[in-house]
């Protein structure tokens, strides 16, 4: 799964990296411990331009009776999303990019678990493949939410966890956002493990386990890299 990630860059860096023409984020600061249930930056396309806004992490399907279902929908398995009622229509029509510069996973280490931060070797920004939906509450409120697609681990991740987020190659991001593309086979081809030779992982402090901790200390290496 993917349950925590980092986005430690400025709004300006996001705008440049994802070629944003319209940004609808009133305030953005570096985030060192993004968690489910929070509002997260996401990129969508309106067919002509890329737009940056915020979505609540934890997808609420339009047909849901209880918005609490979102807490169980933070991830969608890439292998089965096209067949699941909660994700099927979003995969066809409502795809987004969720920017990140790292994500956390917990590796079993003896009797405990060691939190690891996984990043690109060049520390560049990347895009996780996401889906989004808008839920209409009985009182008329609209809640826009998202989920992160996951896939089988690459060789780097296999020693840490049995799943990893789908990270899109930069050249595939426009294909993922293209609303005219509704071919499941073409989309499925994008949902694969990212090349492990471009990534690295290092241990970080156990304080990332508490969502209230959100400071540069969360991403500082501890112990030996492995």
């Amino acid at each position: 799964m993917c349950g925590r990630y980092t986005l430690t860059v400025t709004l300006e860096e996001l705008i440049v990296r994802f070629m944003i023409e319209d940004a609808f984020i009133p305030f953005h600061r570096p985030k060192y411990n993004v968690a489910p249930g929070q509002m997260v930056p996401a990129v969508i396309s309106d067919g002509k331009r890329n737009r940056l806004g915020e979505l609540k992490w934890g997808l609420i399907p339009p047909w849901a009776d209880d918005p609490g279902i979102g807490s169980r929908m933070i991830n969608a398995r890439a292998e089965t999303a096209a067949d699941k009622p909660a994700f099927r229509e979003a995969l066809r029509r409502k795809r987004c990019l969720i920017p990140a510069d790292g994500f956390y996973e917990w590796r079993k280490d003896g009797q405990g678990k060691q939190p690891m931060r996984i990043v690109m070797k060049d520390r560049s920004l990347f895009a996780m493949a996401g889906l989004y939906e808008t839920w209409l509450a009985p009182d008329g409120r609209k809640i826009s939410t998202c989920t992160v697609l996951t896939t089988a681990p690459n060789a780097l991740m296999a020693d840490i966890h049995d799943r990893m987020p789908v990270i899109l190659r930069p050249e595939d991001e426009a294909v993922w956002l293209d609303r005219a593309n509704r071919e499941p086979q073409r989309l499925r081809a994008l949902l694969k493990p990212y090349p492990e030779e471009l990534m690295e992982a290092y241990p970080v402090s156990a304080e990332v386990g508490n969502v209230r901790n959100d400071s540069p200390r969360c991403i500082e290496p501890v112990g030996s890299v492995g």
Side-chain angles (χ1 to χ4, degrees), residues 9 43 90 94 106 121 132 142 153-154 159 161 170-171 174 183:
V9 301
V43 179
K94 295 183 177 180
W106 278 254
K121 284 185 175 178
Y132 70 97
K142 291 183 178 180
N154 59 23
D159 290 334
H161 199 267
E171 59 266 33
E183 301 175 17

Side-chain angles (χ1 to χ4, degrees), residues 5-221:
Y5 70 92
T6 64
L7 184 60
T8 66
V9 301
T10 65
L11 179 59
E12 289 73 20
E13 288 174 284
L14 282 174
I15 289 172
V16 171
R17 166 62 176 80
F18 293 101
M19 298 178 289
I20 302 299
E21 294 193 28
D22 295 314
F24 301 92
I25 295 182
F27 175 75
H28 171 74
R29 64 174 178 81
K31 298 282 287 182
Y32 300 90
N33 197 4
V34 183
Q38 296 179 356
M39 299 300 292
V40 301
V43 179
I44 67 170
S45 172
D46 64 7
K48 295 181 180 179
R49 60 184 67 85
N50 286 352
R51 302 167 62 189
L52 179 69
E54 289 187 318
L55 300 169
K56 186 176 182 180
W57 188 8
L59 188 139
I60 306 173
W63 44 259
D65 295 324
D66 179 4
I69 193 175
S71 65
R72 305 192 300 274
M73 300 281 185
I74 66 169
N75 291 152
R77 293 177 70 93
E79 300 90 338
T80 59
D83 303 316
K84 297 292 184 180
F87 308 123
R88 185 168 52 220
E89 285 304 307
L91 182 63
R92 293 180 63 247
R93 302 183 297 108
K94 295 183 177 180
R95 301 182 298 273
C96 63
L97 306 177
I98 300 178
D101 57 11
F103 63 94
Y104 298 114
E105 201 51 82
W106 278 254
R107 182 180 66 188
K108 290 184 179 179
D109 186 11
Q111 298 299 313
K113 291 185 176 181
Q114 170 63 55
M116 306 289 293
R117 183 175 184 235
I118 300 92
V119 296
M120 296 296 156
K121 284 185 175 178
D122 63 3
R123 298 302 193 271
S124 61
L125 273 167
F126 56 86
M128 298 184 291
L131 307 175
Y132 70 97
E133 282 286 9
T134 299
W135 184 75
L136 182 62
D139 62 5
R141 290 178 300 117
K142 291 183 178 180
I143 303 176
S144 295
T145 60
C146 65
T147 189
V148 175
L149 285 156
T150 66
T151 187
N154 59 23
L156 173 71
M157 284 299 301
D159 290 334
I160 302 172
H161 199 267
D162 61 359
R163 302 292 292 176
M164 69 179 292
V166 172
I167 298 172
L168 297 166
R169 298 183 305 170
E171 59 266 33
D172 291 334
E173 292 170 4
V175 178
W176 181 251
L177 290 179
D178 185 358
R179 291 186 173 189
N181 180 14
R182 299 187 180 184
E183 301 175 17
Q185 291 302 324
R186 188 180 185 194
L187 294 171
R188 192 172 291 119
L190 306 180
L191 307 180
K192 56 190 178 182
Y194 201 76
E196 63 271 7
E197 64 271 16
L198 301 179
M199 305 175 71
E200 67 181 29
Y202 65 88
V204 294
S205 169
E207 71 177 69
V208 303
N210 187 329
V211 298
R212 290 175 293 183
N213 296 325
D214 184 15
S215 76
R217 292 193 306 273
C218 292
I219 66 172
E220 293 175 358

